[in-house]
Amino acid sequence: MSAIPEEEYLYKCTSACAGCSSSLCLRYVLKAAGPDTVLVVPACCTSVIQGAYPGTAMNVPVYNIAFAAAAACASGMSNALRSLGKKTNVIVYAGDGGTVDIGLQSLSGAFERGTDFLYICYDNEAYGNTGMQRSGATPLGARTTTTPGGKPTPKKDLDRIVEAHNPPYMATACSAYPIDLYKKVKKALSVEGPKFIHILAPCPPGWRYPTEKTVEMGKLAVKTGTWILYERELGKLAISGPSKTAMKKPAPLEDYLRGQGRFKNLSQEVLNEMRQQVERNIQRFSREEAGAC
């Protein structure tokens, strides 16, 4: 792989929270995509932190769109650019609220139509820009402003929903592994058709951990098997390096949970159910990669 470009397309003047991992992710996404790129951003943290024109922190064109419409907008934009013979990268950069919940219908439609674009969901597991209300991506047991006693239901499996559309390329990533993210964005943009990358983006104020722990928190998610890094090309699964190692001998789940205030005072019953979820996912991905299912 060639060296990561020095050019910056996300400037330092964002109004992001200290320790914001989604901004770190976007920095590497844009480095991989380069200047011939347009971002479609629905209502989310990114639509707030970018700042107002002409003082925006973005050095690529950005189209801010309604919560539910990002993929539909990108679909029309991609078709228009392709009809003009332009190969401009059209990238949706959306949070979990605008993907897992409100924007799911337009995402499904764009993938069914075969739109040539990249959809990236940066997942901080709640509605971050409006005060950390629970979303469909909020995990079991997590405290949010609307689940003060802990969310009673598991996280929606967005990746299986996207997988059902048979995209030519999809992957997971994590802000704590920026080189892995950079490579996956480069690969996705080399493929024609609808692509999808799901990024775990730890959030200090929402997850209630110290701002300097953002990278550590992301690595613990991977090391415990809570978040599995992989690529799926033409339906074939390949587990990414950090998760290959972690899945053989996962770190204790408590290592990941204890540093987050949102998981304070979990009951033993919920903790056991969370452990079982992690174990089931590890087994499922291991079997699939081995060709056993």
Side-chain angles (χ1 to χ4, degrees):
M1 186 193 77
S2 59
I4 292 178
E6 293 185 4
E7 290 82 5
E8 297 289 351
Y9 303 100
L10 179 66
Y11 295 143
K12 296 178 181 179
C13 57
T14 74
S15 56
C17 300
C20 175
S21 69
S22 65
S23 296
L24 173 66
C25 294
L26 183 56
R27 181 186 180 210
Y28 282 88
V29 166
L30 292 175
K31 280 178 176 288
D36 190 15
T37 297
V38 59
L39 287 181
V40 179
V41 180
C44 61
C45 292
T46 300
S47 62
V48 176
I49 69 174
Q50 67 190 22
Y53 183 84
T56 178
M58 309 292 197
N59 194 24
V60 296
V62 179
Y63 196 93
N64 290 284
I65 194 69
F67 241 139
C73 172
S75 191
M77 188 179 291
S78 174
N79 289 342
L81 288 165
R82 301 301 177 261
S83 71
L84 295 172
K86 296 183 178 181
K87 298 185 178 296
T88 302
N89 298 314
V90 178
I91 300 177
V92 171
Y93 196 72
D96 50 283
T99 303
V100 178
D101 298 330
I102 301 172
L104 189 59
Q105 47 77 27
S106 62
L107 167 62
S108 178
F111 272 63
E112 185 272 333
R113 290 189 295 272
T115 299
D116 184 23
F117 79 138
L118 171 59
Y119 193 111
I120 296 177
C121 173
Y122 66 94
D123 187 354
N124 60 19
E125 300 187 324
Y127 286 87
N129 69 318
T130 53
M132 297 308 293
Q133 298 88 356
R134 61 91 84 191
S135 79
T138 302
L140 177 70
R143 293 183 174 195
T144 68
T145 54
T146 49
T147 56
K151 184 166 176 267
T153 55
K155 179 177 179 128
K156 189 186 295 184
D157 196 339
L158 172 66
D159 298 329
R160 277 182 155 177
I161 295 171
V162 173
E163 182 191 345
H165 294 75
N166 297 310
Y169 182 86
M170 62 181 292
T172 58
C174 177
S175 59
Y177 298 89
I179 306 302
D180 178 70
L181 170 60
Y182 176 87
K183 290 178 180 178
K184 286 172 176 174
V185 173
K186 291 289 284 187
K187 184 179 289 188
L189 293 174
S190 72
V191 176
E192 188 174 350
K195 290 82 61 175
F196 179 79
I197 297 179
H198 191 182
I199 306 173
L200 182 68
C203 171
W207 294 17
R208 304 176 196 173
Y209 65 81
T211 57
E212 70 273 14
K213 299 287 187 180
T214 286
V215 171
E216 178 183 335
M217 203 58 63
K219 288 190 174 182
L220 282 171
V222 172
K223 289 177 180 178
T224 58
T226 304
W227 188 260
I228 296 175
L229 301 173
Y230 67 84
E231 293 177 285
R232 196 182 295 279
E233 297 182 70
L234 299 175
K236 183 173 177 56
L237 177 75
I239 305 297
S240 304
S243 283
K244 267 189 181 298
T245 303
M247 288 166 62
K248 292 176 182 176
K249 189 177 181 181
L253 180 60
E254 290 87 341
D255 289 356
Y256 175 57
L257 301 179
R258 73 167 59 97
Q260 303 177 52
R262 63 177 180 157
F263 290 118
K264 187 177 180 181
N265 298 325
L266 279 178
S267 69
Q268 191 61 47
E269 181 182 4
V270 171
L271 179 58
N272 290 340
E273 188 173 347
M274 293 171 78
R275 282 202 193 100
Q276 291 169 13
Q277 286 178 358
V278 170
E279 291 168 5
R280 284 195 298 267
N281 278 336
I282 289 175
Q283 291 170 8
R284 176 170 65 88
F285 280 108
S286 298
R287 287 195 303 268
E288 183 180 351
E289 190 181 40
C293 64

